[in-house]
Amino acid sequence: MPLSNDPFVLQDSRLLRHQPFVNGQWIDGDAPALAVDNPATGACLGEVETLSAASVNAAIDAARDALPGWKAMTARERSVRMERWHDLMLEHADDLARIMTLEQGKPLAEARGEILYGASFAKWFAEESRRAYGEIIPPPARGRRLLVLREPIGVCAAITPWNFPCAMIVRKTAPALAAGCPIILKPAESTPFSALALAELAQRAGIPPGVFNVVLGNPPDIGKAFAAHPAVRKLSFTGSTRTGRVLLAQAAEQIQKVTLELGGNAPFIVFEDADFDAAIDGAIAAKFRNAGQVCVAVNRILVHETLFGRFTECLAARVAALKVGNGLDPDTDIGPLINAAAIERITALLAEAKADGAKIHTGGQPHKLGGLYFEPTVITQINPCARLWREEIFGPVITLIPFRDEAEALRLANDTEYGLASYFYSRDLGRLFRVAEGLHFGMVGANTPAISSECAPFGGIKASGFGREGSSHGIDDYLEFKTVWIGGI
Ligand code: ADP
């Protein structure tokens, strides 16, 4: 279907693809096409073709057949191609950002930032591929030698969400490629164009046919096809805890290795000795990026009782000044939410909290722009049993609660099934260590909202999943240890 009245105006129109990418080819779909809407306007951006389960199986077969050639390349041969992929992402950053804003809604500057952040994983893992060292272990007996090789795990599958349509893809595919594994990616239905543009660039970078594949179609069918195919040795998933549970259970069938980056319920603690202004800036940054649709977004703010009134007032004033609008408008701070279900869910969470006595300081309802826009909202007097406090909000709504002392702050912060990101502000050196160690989360931002980079492990504990992406550890999930005993020396 041609693009509608909401055209992608790109410098390189070949980045806009409408078909699955399998075995180095753009292939025809054999299942119902999928319409992709612009959340800012509601207009249909276009359709993508999708695959039946049988065709997804054929794609996995192609990846399986590509494994020996990709694995046999030297790390340098693989890394040169991955560096080229990185360079192409930077070269086309404006187009990639535009595609992302059109299909996902986030402000253009954020989209561009995400492209640079995503690309950094391609570069990082290109470098790491050359450092996937094995070991020589001093042997336990004379006349023997003991080696450990690190080998690619095999064909990998990735399922990614719509909130970071580029970064989540590169963060999963780059370590797989670096390790010598072909990968099959299923991007989110709302944001397939970003994924297909990355496939186009991977092809231009010289990643061989069958090594980088993008399949589109019915998510449960594709998830089952990934789980059932014996060639798939590893699944990496980012998305909801609900879907993560389904995929983990399915992976049990073939004993596939799994990495899960699931939901969060991040606390943000402001102690009485915090740098007040930095804490306000940090709260805004860690909450309202991508309209709050971020797994590491602040979900709950805990403020020492002596600062509570002033902090709430200052935060509400700053939040009320955030500009809601189309992400293509350079003034926009907060774009639309992803779909109508997101608006309905947030409206329901707020209605429940209000009925339970919560106080709204700013926002609280769908924005007057209509459509998928929602007012950035600040709430106090929340009941800690409320869903708004206990569940991942995934929208531009923040709740604040006062606490008396450090012990109470930690107890409230840790009182959640989730364990992804956490934040706190304090200038007391002893407290920095005590609280960082006392928070039961995979990541802690102390006096900073910025907690993700290609060089740091990213991931959670408890219902937020397991496995780490990024850093020198990020390649481990895609490699197996092989122990080689040599006798008769
Ligand atoms: P959200 O509710 O935020 O969209 P999901 O966990 O449903 O989060 O979606 C994240 C990704 O998981 C998307 O790519 C989606 O298509 C995919 N997905 C959802 N359900 C399944 C499933 N049963 N099997 C495989 N993938 C799924």
Side-chain angles (χ1 to χ4, degrees):
M1 190 188 112
L3 288 177
S4 72
N5 54 2
D6 212 348
F8 291 96
V9 184
L10 303 177
Q11 290 157 33
D12 183 343
S13 58
R14 284 185 309 139
L15 291 178
L16 190 62
R17 295 291 183 169
H18 297 81
Q19 291 181 306
F21 183 70
V22 173
N23 206 13
Q25 310 279 332
W26 301 99
I27 62 170
D28 293 338
D30 60 354
L34 184 71
V36 181
D37 293 341
N38 180 347
T41 61
C44 177
L45 288 167
E47 287 185 347
V48 289
E49 298 180 28
T50 76
L51 299 177
S52 65
S55 298
V56 172
N57 252 326
I60 301 171
D61 289 344
R64 178 198 58 204
D65 296 345
L67 173 63
W70 185 241
K71 176 178 168 180
M73 278 193 188
T74 64
R76 172 147 181 78
E77 285 167 335
R78 285 196 296 270
S79 77
V80 164
R81 288 165 172 78
M82 292 177 64
E83 294 256 7
R84 224 180 278 146
W85 192 36
H86 161 266
D87 295 347
L88 286 166
M89 285 183 226
L90 297 196
E91 199 178 303
H92 296 282
D94 289 339
D95 276 350
L96 295 173
R98 192 173 174 83
I99 292 172
M100 190 188 300
T101 293
L102 284 166
E103 65 179 356
Q104 200 276 340
K106 67 177 67 180
L108 203 50
E110 281 188 27
R112 205 170 188 289
E114 183 187 333
I115 301 300
L116 305 189
Y117 169 66
S120 72
F121 287 89
K123 178 142 183 85
W124 175 270
F125 284 109
E127 292 160 353
E128 286 301 303
S129 72
R130 300 171 66 184
R131 288 190 274 277
Y133 302 143
E135 287 174 276
I136 300 175
I137 297 177
R142 279 189 203 90
R144 302 178 77 182
R145 296 293 183 271
L146 179 49
L147 319 179
V148 181
L149 311 179
R150 290 172 86 205
E151 296 189 338
I153 190 168
V155 172
C156 299
I159 299 180
T160 52
W162 47 262
N163 59 340
F164 287 92
C166 164
M168 295 306 103
I169 290 174
V170 189
R171 201 156 83 173
K172 295 184 187 314
T173 55
L177 298 177
C181 304
I183 190 154
I184 307 181
L185 162 73
K186 189 206 83 63
E189 292 59 60
S190 321
T191 56
F193 289 120
S194 293
L196 296 173
L198 290 175
E200 166 70 23
L201 295 180
Q203 186 181 36
R204 290 185 200 175
I207 308 279
V211 172
F212 185 102
N213 308 278
V214 181
V215 295
L216 306 164
N218 177 271
D221 289 352
I222 296 179
K224 284 186 196 132
F226 286 168
H229 199 299
V232 176
R233 297 314 314 145
K234 154 95 195 165
L235 170 71
S236 181
F237 171 72
T238 296
S240 64
T241 297
R242 175 180 31 85
T243 301
R245 279 199 182 95
V246 171
L247 296 174
L248 183 59
Q250 288 177 181
E253 190 57 33
Q254 308 267 356
I255 319 285
Q256 289 165 343
K257 198 168 173 181
V258 178
T259 297
L260 298 175
E261 202 259 276
L262 309 175
N265 182 358
F268 184 102
I269 311 172
V270 185
F271 286 101
E272 64 275 29
D273 55 54
D275 176 334
F276 187 91
D277 295 339
I280 293 276
D281 289 345
I284 298 274
K287 173 68 217 181
F288 291 99
R289 192 164 55 107
N290 201 8
Q293 304 170 114
V294 180
C295 54
V296 295
V298 173
N299 224 47
R300 307 168 286 154
I301 300 185
L302 294 81
V303 187
H304 190 260
E305 58 188 5
T306 54
L307 300 179
F308 188 76
R310 185 158 73 98
F311 194 89
T312 304
E313 227 171 82
C314 287
L315 187 74
R318 285 280 296 274
V319 170
L322 292 172
K323 186 163 182 302
V324 176
N326 188 321
L328 292 179
D329 177 345
D331 294 336
T332 293
D333 298 308
I334 298 192
L337 298 189
I338 191 70
N339 54 31
I343 295 274
E344 281 160 25
R345 184 166 169 279
I346 292 196
T347 307
L349 289 181
L350 279 169
E352 276 177 38
K354 271 195 278 185
D356 213 9
K359 178 173 175 196
I360 296 187
H361 293 258
T362 184
Q365 50 196 353
H367 195 274
K368 59 181 182 305
L369 285 172
L372 301 179
Y373 295 99
F374 202 92
E375 292 177 346
T377 300
V378 174
I379 295 182
T380 58
Q381 295 174 25
I382 184 92
N383 179 342
C385 297
R387 285 207 293 151
L388 203 53
W389 187 258
R390 307 212 69 84
E391 293 185 9
E392 184 173 44
I393 298 170
F394 238 61
V397 175
I398 190 65
T399 54
L400 295 96
I401 193 168
F403 66 86
R404 271 187 307 280
D405 56 25
E406 191 178 301
E408 186 184 27
L410 276 173
R411 186 178 55 71
L412 288 167
N414 288 332
D415 180 22
T416 169
E417 62 174 319
Y418 294 106
L420 190 59
S422 56
Y423 307 84
F424 71 95
Y425 278 66
S426 166
R427 283 178 294 191
D428 180 298
L429 187 60
R431 175 172 277 159
L432 281 172
F433 280 92
R434 282 195 307 276
V435 175
E437 290 163 8
L439 284 166
H440 301 162
F441 295 83
M443 294 171 288
V444 180
N447 298 326
T448 176
I451 57 159
S452 103
S453 153
E454 77 282 11
C455 55
F458 185 104
I461 60 173
K462 296 162 63 181
S464 295
F466 48 77
R468 292 294 179 269
E469 301 188 299
S471 83
S472 59
H473 304 292
I475 198 169
D476 291 349
D477 275 355
Y478 300 86
L479 291 166
E480 293 281 26
F481 288 111
K482 180 189 276 176
T483 311
V484 183
W485 291 89
I486 304 173
I489 304 273

